[in-house]
Amino acid sequence: MTSLPSNFPRRIRIRGGEFGASARAMHRKAALENVSKATIERKLMSTKTTFKRVALVAVAALGFGLLSVVPSSATSQADTLTLSSAATTVTVGTAATTTLTQAFTGLGGDTMTVTASVSSAPTGNSAVPALTVNQASNTNASTAVTGGGLIGTTADTASATVYNSASGVYTVTLPTTAIAGTYVIKFTAAVVTPNTGTVNAAVATWTVTVGAATAATADTTSTAYIAAGGVTAPTSTTDALAVNVPMAVGTQAAAILVTPKLASASASVTLTATITGPGLIGLGTQTVGATGRSLTSGTAVSTDYVTVWPDGTAGVATITISSGSTVLGTKTVTFYGAIATVTTTVVNSVITVGSAGANVGAITAVAKDSGGNVVPVGTLYATSDTAGFISNSYSSAAIGGTTAGVATFTLTGVAEGTAKITVGTGSSSTATGAFNATPVAVRVGGAPASVKVTFDAASYTVGQAATVTVTILGPLGNPVANGTYTNIFSTTSPAAGLVSNYALGGAALPASGTITTSGSTGTQTFAVTMPTYASSVKLSATGGTALATANQVALTSATVDVTDANATAAIDAANAATDAANYAADAADAATTAAQEATAAAQAAQDSADAATAAVVALGLRVDTLMASVRAQLTSLSNLLVRLIKKAHA
C-alpha cells in the first residue's frame, strides 16, 4: 500500500473543518499500514499536551484588543466568528455592548485568537472597545487579569489524537466615554498554535451609532419656593409670602429654590431661568450675585438656586424657571420706589366716644409709589379736620404693622358729629406731608336715645318670611356706632323685650334688653315667619334704662297686615259670581221691558191696521155707490141719444 506524503495531513488541518473527516480517515489508514511518515506526524501532534484557551491582549494605545480562545488543531477546523448584534444604537453616556462567539474544532494544545480593532470612529474619539470572557467550552479554573493582558481560561482536552470542538463567548463593550458618531469595529480570527494554518471565518463587523444625549426635562411635579432676601432659606412655608423690596441697587431681593422632579421623583436636569420686568438674576448658590436676565445651568442639577436682584427700576418682575419647554415655576418680585400716593379706606364709618370698640382700626391706608406699586414699609399719619368730633391728637401707624402693606389707625371720638380724616406722610397736626390722601368722613355716634323697629315690607301673606330690623338711634336721630348695647328694652312689665301680638316663626325676637348692631347702619336684624292665618301683626316694646327718659314709656311700634291669599281669592271669586248674577238679573229686566214695549207697539199697530181696514171697507162701499150712479147716468144718456137720433131721422 502506498504511503501518503508527510505534509498532507498538515495541509488538511490548515484548510479547516470541512476536511476534518478526510484527515482523520487518512490518519487511521496510515496507522494501519504502518506508514512511517504518518506515524512521525502523529508523534509530532501527540506532543501537544496543553489545550490553551482564551487570551485577550488589549492594546489601548492602538485602539484594538487581542483575545485568545480554545485550541484549534495545527490547522483551523471549521472556525467561525458570530456577533449577537451587528449594529447597536446608543446615546452619549450609555455603553454599547454585543456578544462575540468564536468556535472551531481541534486537538489538545491548538489555539486560535480574535483581534478587535476600531476601523473607523468620529474625530476626537478616545474610546476603545473592551473584550471580557463571558463563557467558554472548557470548565477548568479561569484566571482574570486586570489592566489588560490575559483574560480567560486554560484547559487540557485530555486527547492529542481526537478532535474536539471548542468555543469562547465574549462580551464586547464600547465604553460610555464614546463621543457622538458612528463606530465600525472589526473582529479578525488567527491561528496561534501552531502558528500556521488557514482561517476560515470571515472578518465580523460591529457598527455602533452613538447619538447625542437627549437632555432630560423635569415635569410639573417639580417645586420652586421663594423667600425674600438671601438669608432665609426658601421653603414651602415661606413660598406663600409676597416679595416687595426696594428698587435700590445693592441688596438681594429674593432667593428661589428649584427642585426638578419627574413624576414627583428627584431628577437631574438642565435649568433655564429668565426674568421679565425690572431686576437681574443669578443662578447657583442661595446668595450668588446677579449675572444676567436669562441664564442656563451648565450641567444637569438636582437642585439649584435662582437669586433676584434690583437694578434701580420700580415695577413687578416675573421670574420663570424651565426645564426644556416645561415651566417648573413662576415667581414675582415687586420693586418699589418712594411713596407717591396714599389710599384711605373706611372700615367703621361710625365710631363711639373714646378710643375703644369700633374706633380700633376705624380706617386703613395703603401707600404706593409713582408706578402704583405698594410700598410695604414706612409710617403714615392721620389728621382730623374737626377736633370737636374726632380728636386731632396726631395718630401715626406703621405700614405693615398688622397687615402687609397696610397702615391701620385707631381714632378717638369726642362728641356726636362727623369729621374728615386725612392720611399722609406728614408728621404734624397741621400738615400731612407731600402725599396727602383724599379725606374720608367718619362719624361719631351718640349714646342710645331711641329705638326704631321696622318690617322689610308693608304687608305679607300667611307663612311668608319677613325681616324685623331694630335700629338704635342717638340724640340727633342717627344710628349709633356698631357694638353691643344693654338695657335697650325693658325686661319687666308689661312685656319683656320686643314682643309680637301673634306668634311668629323663625328667629326669636330679643326677650332681653341686649341688642348688637353691625353693618353700616348700626342695626340688628331678625328673620321671622308670619302666622299661618290672616292677621294684623304688631310689634311693641317698652324702652329700657339705656334710653333717654322720654323714650322709656313706649317705643316706635310696627304693624303689618298678614293676608290669606287663598281666602282672599275665594272671596274675590264669590264677589265676582255675585256681580255676574246681578248683571244677569239686570239684563233679564231689560229684556222684559223690551218685550212689553214690543207688545204695546204690536197692539198699536193692530189697532192702526183695523182702522185702515174699516176705512178701506167704507171707501169701497162709497165707490160702489158712485159706480152705480155713474152707470145710471150713462144709461140715461144713452137713452137720450137714441131718442135724439130717432128725431133726427124722423
Side-chain angles (χ1 to χ4, degrees):
M1 184 176 292
T2 305
S3 299
L4 296 173
S6 61
N7 62 346
F8 186 68
R10 176 178 292 276
R11 189 157 48 248
I12 292 175
R13 290 198 299 276
I14 292 173
R15 291 295 298 169
E18 67 271 23
F19 296 105
S22 298
R24 288 191 293 272
M26 292 179 181
H27 185 78
R28 288 194 296 271
K29 182 178 181 182
L32 292 173
E33 296 179 358
N34 296 316
V35 179
S36 59
K37 292 185 178 180
T39 302
I40 294 170
E41 179 63 17
R42 179 181 178 187
K43 291 180 179 179
L44 289 173
M45 289 188 292
S46 67
T47 60
K48 301 168 185 169
T49 58
T50 304
F51 187 69
K52 300 179 183 177
R53 184 180 181 195
V54 185
L56 171 67
V57 179
V59 188
L62 299 178
F64 63 86
L66 183 64
L67 185 65
S68 65
V69 304
V70 233
S72 171
S73 62
T75 60
S76 62
Q77 302 291 307
D79 62 287
T80 59
L81 285 178
T82 306
L83 287 168
S84 62
S85 175
T88 304
T89 300
V90 294
T91 57
V92 170
T94 302
T97 61
T98 189
T99 301
L100 174 68
T101 301
Q102 184 178 38
F104 62 93
T105 58
L107 300 175
D110 291 341
T111 304
M112 289 193 73
T113 61
V114 61
T115 301
S117 60
V118 178
S119 177
S120 63
T123 302
N125 172 69
S126 61
V128 296
L131 292 82
T132 57
V133 173
N134 184 358
Q135 174 185 339
S137 63
N138 309 71
T139 57
N140 289 7
S142 62
T143 303
V145 180
T146 59
L150 178 65
I151 302 177
T153 64
T154 60
D156 190 343
T157 63
S159 175
T161 59
V162 179
Y163 279 87
N164 290 283
S165 62
S167 64
V169 181
Y170 309 98
T171 298
V172 187
T173 304
L174 184 64
T176 58
T177 55
I179 63 176
T182 301
Y183 297 76
V184 177
I185 301 169
K186 292 185 176 181
F187 304 95
T188 307
V191 176
V192 176
T193 305
N195 58 5
T196 59
T198 300
V199 175
N200 293 309
V203 173
T205 301
W206 181 37
T207 302
V208 181
T209 303
V210 180
T214 302
T217 57
D219 59 26
T220 53
T221 61
S222 305
T223 59
Y225 301 133
I226 188 171
V231 177
T232 303
T235 65
S236 58
T237 302
T238 61
D239 185 55
L241 302 177
V243 177
N244 273 25
V245 293
M247 67 180 187
V249 176
T251 303
Q252 183 176 344
I256 304 170
L257 173 61
V258 184
T259 304
K261 294 183 179 181
L262 281 169
S264 299
S266 181
S268 292
V269 301
T270 299
L271 297 177
T272 298
T274 60
I275 185 171
T276 57
L280 298 169
I281 57 174
L283 190 61
T285 64
Q286 184 177 334
T287 58
V288 65
T291 56
R293 293 179 58 80
S294 181
L295 305 175
T296 300
S297 58
T299 58
V301 293
S302 57
T303 58
D304 213 356
Y305 281 95
V306 178
T307 57
V308 186
W309 299 79
D311 63 359
T313 305
V316 178
T318 300
I319 301 91
T320 303
I321 303 100
S322 304
S323 172
S325 60
T326 303
V327 175
L328 308 185
T330 301
K331 301 298 177 183
T332 58
V333 173
T334 300
F335 297 101
Y336 63 84
I339 296 175
T341 61
V342 177
T343 301
T344 305
T345 300
V346 177
V347 178
N348 294 313
S349 59
V350 182
I351 63 175
T352 60
V353 174
S355 59
N359 303 33
V360 178
I363 61 174
T364 60
V366 175
K368 297 181 180 180
D369 63 13
S370 59
N373 304 301
V374 173
V375 179
V377 295
T379 302
L380 296 178
Y381 303 87
T383 300
S384 169
D385 71 340
T386 306
F389 297 143
I390 297 178
S391 174
N392 63 0
S393 297
Y394 214 83
S395 175
S396 64
I399 300 174
T402 302
T403 304
V406 178
T408 302
F409 292 88
T410 296
L411 303 179
T412 302
V414 177
E416 184 176 8
T418 300
K420 291 183 178 181
I421 308 299
T422 303
V423 178
T425 59
S427 57
S428 71
S429 61
T430 57
T432 56
F435 311 105
N436 296 337
T438 301
V440 294
V442 178
R443 181 171 60 83
V444 178
S450 63
V451 178
K452 181 171 64 174
V453 180
T454 58
F455 284 103
D456 62 339
S459 63
Y460 301 91
T461 58
V462 293
Q464 184 177 352
T467 300
V468 176
T469 300
V470 177
T471 305
I472 303 176
L473 304 175
L476 300 181
N478 298 314
V480 298
N482 290 331
T484 298
Y485 296 87
T486 59
N487 300 319
I488 297 299
F489 299 124
S490 172
T491 57
T492 59
S493 177
L498 181 63
V499 296
S500 171
N501 60 336
Y502 286 97
L504 302 178
L509 296 176
S512 67
T514 301
I515 295 294
T516 300
T517 62
S518 61
S520 60
T521 56
T523 61
Q524 184 175 2
T525 59
F526 303 87
V528 299
T529 304
M530 288 298 169
T532 57
Y533 44 85
S535 56
S536 179
V537 175
K538 180 179 180 180
L539 303 180
S540 59
T542 300
T545 57
L547 303 182
T549 302
N551 295 303
Q552 289 182 17
V553 176
L555 282 75
T556 301
S557 62
T559 303
V560 293
D561 290 330
V562 179
T563 59
D564 188 334
N566 294 330
T568 300
I571 292 172
D572 291 343
N575 290 335
T578 300
D579 292 342
N582 290 334
Y583 291 149
D586 292 343
D589 291 343
T592 300
T593 301
Q596 292 173 346
E597 291 176 352
T599 300
Q603 186 62 49
Q606 183 64 45
D607 293 343
S608 297
D610 291 344
T613 300
V616 170
V617 171
L619 179 59
L621 293 174
R622 185 178 179 186
V623 169
D624 289 343
T625 302
L626 290 174
M627 289 298 293
S629 177
V630 170
R631 282 194 297 272
Q633 290 179 4
L634 288 174
T635 300
S636 296
L637 181 58
S638 176
N639 291 332
L640 178 59
L641 288 175
V642 171
R643 286 193 302 273
L644 289 175
I645 292 170
K646 288 179 176 182
K647 287 180 177 184
H649 287 293

